[in-house]
């Protein structure tokens, strides 16, 4: 598997991955609606096909992971994408890689913490507010957990 920066030639595949996972290209977090298909991205490739995607934005000295998708789990795709994003952040002079996940996303919480990210914030009701912007966000998430809150995780790079 190889992780590389996405190119224009990957646009169609990126839209397909985002649509399959997120129901479209719009991702909403901390009150901001992102069109993830327009963001810088990293793709994981295996045998010439995309097996993972991470979109991000860099503001000031911080890289925010907006979306991360590894449709087939337990192959190392997600870890490779996070590692590559940390490399991009360091090269850009960022001091912090951070992301938002939701209160129901127990598998992601385990995944991120095992890779050194720490929970640094909880925003009660943030997902409820995001439903105003993106009504397709479900009321119930993974493991039938009511979906209400955002959790912020970070990896300090300094």
């Amino acid at each position: 598997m190889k992780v590389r920066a996405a190119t224009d030639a990957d646009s169609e595949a990126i839209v397909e991955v985002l649509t399959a996972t997120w129901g479209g290209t719009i991702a909403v977090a901390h009150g901001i609606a992102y069109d993830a298909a327009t963001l810088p991205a990293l793709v994981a490739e295996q045998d010439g096909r995309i097996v993972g995607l991470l979109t991000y934005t860099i503001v000031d000295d911080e890289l925010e992971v907006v979306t991360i998708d590894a449709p087939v789990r337990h192959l190392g795709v997600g870890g490779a994408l996070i590692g590559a994003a940390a490399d991009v952040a360091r090269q850009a002079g960022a001091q912090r890689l951070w992301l938002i996940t939701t209160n129901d996303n127990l598998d992601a919480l385990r995944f991120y913490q095992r890779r050194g990210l720490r929970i640094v914030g909880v925003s009660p009701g943030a997902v409820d507010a995001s439903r105003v912007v993106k009504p397709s966000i479900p009321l119930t998430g993974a493991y039938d957990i009511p979906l209400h809150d955002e959790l912020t995780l970070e990896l300090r790079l300094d």
Side-chain angles (χ1 to χ4, degrees), residues 29-30 32 34 54-59 61-67 82 85 89 94-101 112 117-118 120 150-157:
H30 56 87
I32 298 175
Y34 297 93
L54 181 147
T55 65
Y56 65 92
T57 184
I58 297 177
V59 177
D61 64 347
E62 301 182 340
L63 183 147
E64 177 186 2
V65 174
V66 176
T67 67
I82 288 289
Q95 302 297 308
R96 174 184 187 229
L97 177 149
W98 69 284
L99 55 85
I100 299 288
T101 193
Y112 294 131
L117 283 85
R118 299 196 55 194
V120 295
E150 290 181 345
L151 286 78
T152 303
L153 290 94
E154 75 172 12
L155 176 65
R156 298 299 308 177
L157 301 170

Side-chain angles (χ1 to χ4, degrees), residues 130-138:
S130 291
R131 273 192 205 90
V132 173
V133 177
K134 186 176 178 180
S136 62
I137 297 172

Side-chain angles (χ1 to χ4, degrees), residues 16-89:
E16 288 175 13
V17 170
L18 292 168
T19 301
T21 306
W22 301 91
T25 63
I26 303 301
V28 181
H30 56 87
I32 298 175
Y34 297 93
D35 183 347
T38 66
L39 296 175
L42 298 169
V43 293
E45 273 186 326
Q46 188 168 30
D47 299 327
R49 63 184 181 88
I50 293 177
V51 294
L53 170 69
L54 181 147
T55 65
Y56 65 92
T57 184
I58 297 177
V59 177
D60 298 325
D61 64 347
E62 301 182 340
L63 183 147
E64 177 186 2
V65 174
V66 176
T67 67
I68 182 170
D69 299 290
V72 179
R73 293 184 174 191
H74 309 294
L75 297 178
V77 174
L81 287 167
I82 288 289
D87 290 343
V88 167

